[in-house]
Amino acid sequence: MPALTVCNFVTVDGRYEDDDHDILSFFEHQHPDYHGADTFDHYTTSLLAEADTVLLSGRRSSLGNLSYWAGVHHDPEATEIRRRFAKLFDRVEKVIVSDTITSEDLEPYPNTRIVAVADAGAEVAALKQGQGRGLLVLLGRVLWNDLMHAGLVDELHLVTFPLIGGGGVSLFDARPPVTLKLLGTHVWPESGNVLMRWRVEAA
């Protein structure tokens, strides 16, 4: 049965984004040795290559991601790894959790469908009982926090960037009723990023 993996960027002080719901401000104090490193792109692409379904949530985030990755195909400055991610992103089924996005909004984007927020848990539970490979959530903090509270997340992959937010949005809304068992770690010296992979189990 497909497992649900969550992968998320996080700062050293546990921040998901700044108060303007962006992460660019965090990079103002990035160490110069790490400028241009794309290890996070490579890691998320490797996860996407093993998934059949990606879950997106929220109007701004979902439409922003769909538009961005569609544009990568025609961006002469896009890196090779982002081009590969974009091709994989086209291929996978994209389940959009939103109460405001319409089918007309999604017309430009292949392999997408909408699920109401209230139905997200039941939809994910049904997907996990089906066939195929994994389910993946990249970012989508509100969604995966809810899914973790519902006991539907199997693995949590947190990639800590060598950045201090000093404020902004915390990664977790509240303490979910789960335990975490360490599956592995990885360090990318070229970016300073540190991966921790956790198995998520009911407390």
Side-chain angles (χ1 to χ4, degrees):
M1 294 184 294
L4 174 59
T5 297
V6 169
C7 180
N8 226 119
F9 151 94
V10 63
T11 64
V12 170
D13 54 339
R15 302 298 177 174
Y16 170 85
E17 57 190 8
D18 64 21
D19 291 325
D20 294 323
H21 301 290
D22 203 341
I23 63 171
L24 292 179
S25 66
F26 294 158
F27 287 85
E28 291 173 354
H29 294 166
Q30 184 185 36
H31 195 284
D33 286 356
Y34 301 143
H35 289 172
D38 59 0
T39 57
F40 189 65
D41 289 345
H42 282 269
Y43 186 65
T44 54
T45 300
S46 72
L47 293 177
L48 184 59
E50 299 299 321
D52 285 333
T53 303
V54 169
L55 302 172
L56 301 172
S57 64
R59 182 178 183 86
R60 176 177 173 270
S61 177
S62 295
L63 294 180
N65 269 284
L66 290 167
S67 175
Y68 175 81
W69 291 112
V72 164
H73 298 297
H74 312 291
D75 181 359
E77 297 185 1
T79 62
E80 186 59 36
I81 191 60
R82 292 206 167 193
R83 292 182 188 278
R84 181 162 184 257
F85 187 100
K87 290 178 181 178
L88 292 170
F89 195 68
D90 284 346
R91 172 188 62 79
V92 298
E93 177 188 40
K94 291 165 284 291
V95 177
I96 315 298
V97 179
S98 173
D99 291 335
T100 61
I101 291 177
T102 67
S103 56
E104 288 76 18
D105 292 324
L106 299 182
E107 281 183 1
Y109 310 112
N111 303 323
T112 57
R113 61 186 177 90
I114 305 166
V115 172
V117 172
D119 299 331
E123 177 66 22
V124 170
L127 286 169
K128 291 184 64 176
Q129 292 299 315
Q131 301 297 316
R133 300 183 300 169
L135 290 76
L136 181 63
V137 181
L138 298 173
L139 309 177
R141 180 189 66 89
V142 173
L143 172 63
W144 67 254
N145 267 263
D146 288 345
L147 295 176
M148 187 170 287
H149 279 273
L152 293 169
V153 174
D154 297 295
E155 291 191 16
L156 176 62
H157 297 201
L158 296 182
V159 180
T160 301
F161 278 48
L163 306 168
I164 299 172
V169 180
S170 295
L171 193 63
F172 293 95
D173 291 327
R175 184 176 64 178
V178 300
T179 62
L180 301 176
K181 181 177 177 61
L182 187 65
L183 296 175
T185 62
H186 187 82
V187 176
W188 290 277
E190 61 268 42
S191 65
N193 294 351
V194 179
L195 166 70
M196 293 182 292
R197 294 173 47 241
W198 306 96
R199 178 73 185 176
V200 183
E201 300 175 351

